[in-house]
Amino acid sequence: MHVASVTRLPLADPSLNFQHVASACKADVTCANCNLRELCLPRGLCDADMQRVENIVYVRRRIKRGETLFNAGEQFNSIYAVRVGFFKTSVIDNDGREQVMGFFMGGELLGMDGVGSGCYNGTATALEDSEVCVMPFSLIEDMASRIRALQRNLHSVLAREIVRDHGVMMLLGSMCAEERLAAFLLNLSQRFTARGYSPSEFVLRMTREEIGSFLGLKLETVSRVFSKFQNAGLVAVQQKHIRITDIPGLREIVGQTR
């Protein structure tokens, strides 16, 4: 496995004298001017609190496509904010097959599932060249005890994880193949929209096999449903490039069971 490159960040508050960041050097982009700050940091922080919050980001790591950020079963110590790129989390089942648990893009947090158990439940793998901000959880807890907005934001993120897991269970338990893929595409559309990208045109960083693993569908079924959607004028597919041509139509498919 290749070793991901690391960029160390400076301490904004000299009073937090952590020996393991003594060799930090200045990075070009800070939390204050990061275009994803509204997605992973609480809103309305004053300049002083923002400077303190920036202490949480210990290093930035660059992860090449196919490299792992952390592995299932490793001791939990940090949460990772995706700055650039796309990740999947997965586990290996008893038969040696990969089960994809989720996909994560810029502005989303990886590793939250380790907060309760003390270890990472899945392996996080980069689906393209990516960069993450490493946030040691001990620093997050310390800072959250002093900044109420950060504490509320942490609770909110944990709540979103619970809701996401519940949504996946509903997706796998009560929807047919067409409904699962429609819901998956709509979810990606919403997440890209929140980042200022097109809600209807994007590139799938994951393979169809990985989509099938996440949705509980066979590869052949995923390909069949994509073709069905394209023939129905719902999407236009060119390899990994997706253009949703009928968002209301996809919503109607998902809404049929509601």
Side-chain angles (χ1 to χ4, degrees), residues 134-154:
V134 182
M135 301 181 290
F137 193 65
S138 59
L139 299 186
I140 294 177
E141 287 187 305
D142 177 68
M143 201 67 67
S145 67
R146 292 185 273 167
I147 303 176
R148 295 296 297 275
L150 183 61
Q151 186 179 63
R152 290 192 298 269
N153 190 66
L154 178 60

Side-chain angles (χ1 to χ4, degrees), residues 174-240:
S174 62
M175 291 184 174
C176 68
E178 288 77 9
E179 292 164 338
R180 294 182 191 188
L181 187 58
F184 176 73
L185 293 175
L186 288 171
N187 176 263
L188 285 179
S189 172
Q190 293 166 359
R191 289 156 69 188
F192 279 120
T193 300
R195 285 147 186 82
Y197 299 117
S198 169
S200 59
E201 196 163 353
F202 43 84
V203 175
L204 296 176
R205 301 302 179 185
M206 67 292 291
T207 66
R208 292 191 179 186
E209 187 173 9
E210 288 166 336
I211 294 173
S213 176
F214 177 64
L215 298 178
L217 301 172
K218 293 182 179 179
L219 172 60
E220 296 80 4
T221 303
V222 174
S223 297
R224 175 181 60 80
V225 176
F226 264 122
S227 296
K228 183 177 181 179
F229 284 178
Q230 182 159 256
N231 293 335
L234 297 170
V235 301
V237 182
Q238 186 175 9
Q239 296 181 333
K240 288 193 171 187

